Amino acid sequence: MASVSLSELPEELLRCILSFLPPETLARIESTSRHFRILANDPLLWRQRCITSFAYWEQDTSPFHKRLRGQHELSTIHDEQWKTECIHRLQQDRVAEECLERVISKQQGRIDKMQKIAHCGYNVKEILVRNCQAPDTAEDVLARRYWSLEILNAMQRRKGIQVWSQATTPQISISLEDALGAFDMFVLETREGDISDISARLDQLATQLRVESPNIEEMSIRQRALEIARFVRCQGLAGVRSEEDYHVLRNRFIGIALFDDEHQALPLISVAIYCCVAQRLGVNAQPCSIPFHVYAIVTPGKGYNLDGKEMDSESQEDRMFMDPFRQDEEVAEDALKRLLNSIGAPTSTHEDFLGASSVVKVIFRNARNIANAVQSGETNDPPRRSALSSWNTGLPDMDGSFYGALWSMIIFDPDNRRNYLHHIVQFFQEGFTVDVDLIENTIFPMFNASPERDAILSLIEEVRGRDRAARPITRRTPDTINVKYRVGQKFEHRRYHYEGVIIGWDDRCRASEAWMRQMNIDGLNQGRHQSFYNVLVADKSNRYVAEENINISTHEPSEAMMRLAGKYFKRWDQQTGAFISNIRDEYPDD
């Protein structure tokens, strides 16, 4: 049988073959011949590559993202920019992967590289998610998972802050779902439920309701409002199961309410979901914030009442109130006025309470709800700073929750910014230093003419300088022969029984005299002249522990310890019962 070259195959078959090639190969094959250059530049082919090669896009409003979702006319499909965009994405992926490898392997200059990746936004989210899920067999599995997640979290926080910053611009209006979804971006990690997921889920709910009630858009506004409340409650998207669940932190996030299996939501979130679905079905529903509870206020189109009848210009505007958190029936306005009277609200203020709340007011109210839940500790969630807080447990991270609340408050409450600054700086220094550019570009301008200006600037310079400086090298010498334990060994504190891992050591106590007096170091059996160890504890804290209080353990670390250890270690070694160091540039002999 005579052989046939690839170029002799029918064009339809060649196009089919090319459609299976990865973008990198497709870009190379066009250089082999004029015939393949024509075939490999087919816009439909590159459009398919964009669809199959990239799961995430930075801006939902970008032309490419809209085209992929079928929101543009078909005539725009034959666009040579598909190839340009695809190649640009490949280049971004390569840069992100190179930076990530450097972040994982070297301590010096991590923040700059992490920010470079984070600034690519959702275009590189797939790379980060994939590395967050690195297989257990990877040589540096813990470090890879840890640093990928740190960058992903930073990228998502940045997106949430961008949404809120837009809301401060009078010319730009943001939707209720985006405003509340920004809180989820501080606790999202690799889970489903970001801002675009939330919008898509609400679209899906509206479509589902249209299917279940095909005549809904022919109903009056009143009938529609009641039908939507019934639907939302029937879907389990409003209310909580018990009084105890009222205090659970996760029920204050719209993304979690929509995507978690339990779907529980406090009044503000319940009303927000109701309003967002209602707006998609032509019902003007907005949150109405009465003290201690949130309702939805529903109004008809101008010139009509809620039952679809025309109204003359002198008639009072019609409205109704709904409480999807508790019921699917209308709430009488007189009942709300009696409630206001019962709490001592003057009659002159009733209309302020009964009117629609602005998006900014809703943001601020939810921020207070989250902050109060974390500060009070009455959340029915694990203790603050728990490393186990993740989607796998259905719980938002409490540090991230409070940090997000603080960011929204400092953006939307200018009169009290100084009160929030101290707390944000504390969180920033303890666990969010990768956000240094957000401090520099968002918070610093707020205080540019204030006494705090120089302190913020010094903090920014200190964080950047410390990150860019080489770590001091600590070697084992004859003078350090008394240092018994090594970096990577896991232990249980003899007195307080917490789990920790050694991340550094001194041949004697190097803390200040004031600290040693406060901690009564000289009251220890061996005092200040024994070895002391810098340790990472499973509750996220870093501590300085005397050697006599360390009880080495080779047992499998807890899930919390495994998750945190990636900051300093590559993996857990079953044979030695210790972590493999990723900070040998600092402790080369351990």
Side-chain angles (χ1 to χ4, degrees), residues 277-300:
V277 174
Q279 288 163 11
R280 284 164 165 77
L281 293 162
V283 175
N284 182 26
Q286 296 172 277
C288 167
S289 298
I290 288 178
F292 313 119
H293 200 62
V294 181
Y295 297 84
I297 180 172
V298 178
T299 55

Side-chain angles (χ1 to χ4, degrees), residues 7 105 160 230 327:
S7 59
S105 62
R230 180 204 61 77
Q327 62 189 52

Side-chain angles (χ1 to χ4, degrees), residues 169-227:
T169 306
Q171 296 82 4
I172 300 176
S173 61
I174 64 170
S175 66
L176 179 62
E177 65 217 50
D178 286 358
L180 290 174
F183 288 101
D184 286 84
M185 302 303 282
F186 284 79
V187 298
L188 186 62
E189 300 198 338
T190 60
R191 307 185 294 263
E192 189 178 17
D194 67 9
I195 289 173
S196 60
D197 291 335
I198 290 168
S199 293
R201 175 65 176 138
L202 291 166
D203 289 343
Q204 183 185 33
L205 289 169
T207 300
Q208 183 181 342
L209 179 51
R210 286 189 182 98
V211 171
E212 292 184 12
S213 301
N215 299 323
I216 188 167
E217 288 174 293
E218 298 173 9
M219 299 177 181
S220 68
I221 296 298
R222 188 187 305 278
Q223 292 172 323
R224 230 181 295 178
L226 294 170
E227 182 67 11

Side-chain angles (χ1 to χ4, degrees), residues 103 106-114 467-469 471:
V103 168
K106 191 175 182 181
Q107 294 189 81
Q108 187 177 1
R110 269 181 173 149
I111 289 177
D112 288 341
K113 297 180 184 70
M114 290 169 73
D467 176 69
R468 291 167 181 169
R471 298 295 189 271

Side-chain angles (χ1 to χ4, degrees), residues 461-507:
E461 292 172 351
E462 177 191 345
V463 169
R464 290 196 186 279
R466 189 169 60 244
D467 176 69
R468 291 167 181 169
R471 298 295 189 271
I473 299 173
T474 304
R475 303 207 71 115
R476 289 188 178 266
T477 67
D479 293 333
T480 63
I481 196 169
N482 65 309
V483 179
K484 184 177 180 181
Y485 304 124
R486 309 180 77 85
V487 168
Q489 287 187 283
K490 191 174 74 70
F491 70 93
E492 180 182 308
H493 195 281
R494 290 184 186 276
R495 182 175 179 183
Y496 299 115
H497 307 292
Y498 59 73
E499 179 189 23
V501 60
I502 295 169
I503 60 174
W505 48 261
D506 294 315
D507 59 343

Side-chain angles (χ1 to χ4, degrees), residues 17 82 89 134 260 280 393 435 445 454 519 553 561 582:
I17 293 171
W82 285 118
R89 290 290 303 270
D260 185 67
R280 284 164 165 77
T393 60
D435 292 345
D454 291 342
M519 304 303 293
S553 168
M561 195 78 260
N582 198 30

